[in-house]
């Protein structure tokens, strides 16, 4: 069953459309652009309590996780977190998760829903916990789904530490610093935007935490604002910005979520080979979309250069400054200074690659094209 936040019933909360991937939490609170501006200039709080949370305990929790996920965690100290992936045997992305090692346990939270993992190499769907249980063998670990116990709230903005101080939470400034809080923990994140903090709090007191955070000065914001800043930050969402062929190198997850020198995990050979001797066939870029027709492409739509398909549209967002933007996976051969078309059927619009989103080795002029689309 999908996790549904009680805050959806709060005054001002607007639910997402039926086909939106952020089901179960508020999409916005009446003014999504003002919410974004506050998240950039002040402090906002986003209900992300639809995320699924696992808890791994036991004396071999780190050594066992080290063998089954893509990140180097065997020496992950208490009070630290990281990001990691589950890959299939060909190195294609299956699951993305964020970790926190605190109070003798490793918590892993991931995007909601059955599609959050397809850990079986072929056929069917397998939830992350089921995959972990299948890989446990004789290891001294216990795996629990604590999604009904812990809920994720995210603070965004340069004034986030002021709110933390009002809540008597002292959190280090380093990315992925973790500290325990009553019934949960706080974790510093390097995205989206310049300042972000995840609070995993008791789900039974979610409304109480929301009230304390907003009383401390944080403006309620929805997942619309979070996604717009995530897209601007060039951070992908698994299953939206990735397809069944995507590998970590294409979406900026090498290093941050996949360790190139660590062996053992499934898909590691592809990770090491592409990193050492080759280049990925595609790269993720930021597209500026022509918003004048007031139509927008959808996730999965093609990106074309003339009649030739050169990529795939991922997340589409309305940004308070940049206007309509999207993440896209483009073939490496596609010129980044060309005028592209994004979308399908009756939702095709002009698009231009933001040159700042292109890796240095492929950088090319393109700011002029983006400026033309923005008027």
């Amino acid at each position: 069953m999908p996790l549904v936040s009680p805050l959806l019933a709060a005054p001002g909360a607007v639910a997402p459309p039926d086909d939106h991937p952020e089901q179960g939490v508020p999409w916005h609170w009446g003014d999504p652009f003002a919410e974004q501006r506050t998240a950039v200039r002040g402090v906002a709080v986003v209900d992300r309590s639809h995320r699924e949370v696992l808890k791994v305990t036991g004396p071999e929790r780190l050594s066992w996780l080290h063998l089954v996920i893509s990140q180097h965690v065997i020496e992950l100290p208490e009070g630290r977190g990281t990001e990691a992936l589950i890959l299939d045997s060909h190195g294609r992305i299956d699951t993305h998760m964020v970790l926190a090692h605190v109070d003798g346990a490793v918590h892993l939270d991931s995007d909601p829903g059955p599609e959050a993992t397809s850990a079986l190499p072929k056929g069917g769907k397998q939830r992350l916990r089921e995959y972990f249980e299948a890989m446990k063998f004789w290891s001294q670990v216990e795996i629990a789904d604590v999604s009904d116990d812990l809920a994720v709230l995210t603070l965004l903005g340069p004034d986030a530490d002021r709110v933390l101080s009002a809540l008597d939470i002292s959190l280090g400034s380093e990315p992925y610093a973790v500290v325990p809080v009553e019934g949960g923990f706080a974790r510093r994140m390097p995205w989206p935007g310049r300042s972000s903090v995840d609070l995993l709090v008791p789900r039974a007191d979610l409304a109480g935490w929301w009230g304390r955070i907003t009383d401390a000065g944080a403006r309620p914001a929805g997942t619309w604002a979070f996604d717009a800043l995530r897209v601007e930050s060039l951070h992908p969402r698994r299953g939206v910005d990735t397809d069944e062929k995507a590998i970590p190198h294409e979406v900026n997850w090498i290093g941050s979520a996949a360790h190139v020198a660590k062996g053992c995990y499934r898909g590691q050979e592809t990770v090491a080979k592409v990193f050492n001797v080759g280049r990925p066939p595609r790269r993720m870029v930021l597209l500026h979309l022509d918003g004048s027709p007031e139509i927008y492409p959808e996730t999965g739509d093609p990106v074309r250069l003339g009649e030739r398909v050169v990529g795939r549209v991922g997340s589409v967002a309305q940004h308070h400054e940049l206007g309509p933007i999207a993440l896209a996976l483009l073939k490496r051969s596609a010129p980044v200074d060309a005028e592209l078309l994004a979308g399908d059927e009756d939702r095709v619009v002009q698009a231009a690659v933001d040159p700042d989103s292109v890796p240095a080795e492929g950088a090319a002029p393109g700011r002029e094209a983006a400026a033309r689309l923005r008027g």
Side-chain angles (χ1 to χ4, degrees):
M1 292 290 293
L3 298 165
V4 178
S5 172
L7 297 178
L8 274 175
V14 177
D18 289 341
D19 58 349
H20 199 277
E22 303 287 3
Q23 295 298 313
V25 294
W27 192 32
H28 62 83
W29 293 80
D31 194 341
F33 293 123
E35 293 165 24
Q36 287 182 48
R37 287 192 290 270
T38 302
V40 171
R41 302 168 187 171
V43 58
V45 57
V46 181
D47 179 3
R48 302 174 67 221
S49 60
H50 57 338
R51 285 179 68 79
E52 298 178 346
V53 188
L54 298 184
K55 181 179 181 180
V56 180
T57 57
E60 295 181 349
R61 60 188 180 277
L62 292 180
S63 59
W64 174 77
L65 277 169
H66 190 77
L67 296 176
V68 296
I69 64 176
S70 64
Q71 190 58 278
H72 195 293
V73 296
I74 198 167
E75 297 176 347
L76 185 68
E78 287 249 358
R80 298 294 299 175
T82 188
E83 299 180 51
L85 306 171
I86 301 293
L87 307 176
D88 71 10
S89 58
H90 300 287
R92 297 172 296 207
I93 298 164
D94 185 90
T95 309
H96 173 265
M97 66 201 84
V98 189
L99 281 63
H101 190 198
V102 61
D103 286 341
V106 179
H107 291 80
L108 311 94
D109 55 288
S110 60
D111 282 325
E115 68 159 10
T117 181
S118 56
L120 292 175
K122 291 184 179 180
K125 291 285 184 182
Q126 185 180 34
R127 302 300 286 268
L128 184 56
R129 182 184 177 185
E130 295 171 347
Y131 173 68
F132 279 167
E133 289 287 356
M135 299 298 292
K136 189 168 71 171
F137 301 110
W138 299 279
S139 299
Q140 297 180 57
V141 296
E142 295 296 330
I143 304 154
D145 186 337
V146 294
S147 304
D148 290 335
D149 302 321
L150 289 175
V152 182
L153 299 175
T154 298
L155 292 174
L156 298 172
D159 292 339
D161 283 336
R162 176 174 55 79
V163 172
L164 293 179
S165 179
L167 298 172
D168 292 323
I169 298 173
S170 179
L171 180 62
S173 60
E174 292 295 314
Y176 306 110
V178 179
V179 296
V181 300
E182 50 185 280
F185 59 88
R187 177 181 59 211
R188 181 84 62 184
M189 291 296 294
W191 59 270
R194 292 184 293 275
S195 181
S196 176
V197 175
D198 290 336
L199 292 169
L200 277 81
V201 302
R203 184 172 293 275
D205 192 27
L206 176 62
W209 272 93
W210 183 266
R212 291 194 291 275
I213 291 169
T214 54
D215 286 347
R219 176 175 184 156
T223 53
W224 177 325
F226 183 93
D227 266 351
L229 299 183
R230 175 183 63 81
V231 170
E232 180 190 20
S233 299
L234 289 174
H235 191 91
R237 177 171 177 171
R238 184 263 171 215
V240 177
D241 300 299
T242 65
D243 56 16
E244 69 280 357
K245 299 178 182 179
I247 59 176
H249 316 67
E250 296 177 325
V251 292
N252 304 332
W253 270 336
I254 291 298
S256 63
H259 198 281
V260 296
K262 180 181 84 78
C264 304
Y265 65 93
R266 190 174 67 185
Q268 182 269 338
E269 290 185 3
T270 298
V271 170
K273 180 179 180 181
V274 175
F275 180 79
N276 291 319
V277 301
R279 296 189 299 176
R282 299 177 297 180
R283 54 189 168 198
M284 186 178 67
V285 299
L286 178 67
L287 294 181
H288 294 273
L289 306 175
D290 180 6
S292 57
E294 296 186 356
I295 56 173
Y296 307 104
E298 297 178 357
T299 298
D301 279 351
V303 178
R304 292 185 172 89
L305 176 62
E307 297 297 318
R308 182 166 63 97
V309 174
V310 294
R312 171 194 181 275
V313 175
S315 297
V316 180
Q318 293 284 332
H319 192 278
H320 71 108
E321 289 183 336
L322 300 178
I325 55 176
L327 293 178
L329 280 175
L330 291 189
K331 293 180 180 179
R332 183 168 291 275
S333 60
V336 296
D337 57 348
E339 292 190 0
L340 305 171
L341 295 175
D344 204 9
E345 299 178 348
D346 59 351
R347 54 181 183 273
V348 178
V349 299
Q350 286 186 298
V353 175
D354 188 317
D356 293 337
S357 71
V358 180
E361 58 89 17
R367 186 70 72 182
E368 297 81 0
R372 285 199 297 274
L373 291 186
R374 293 201 294 264

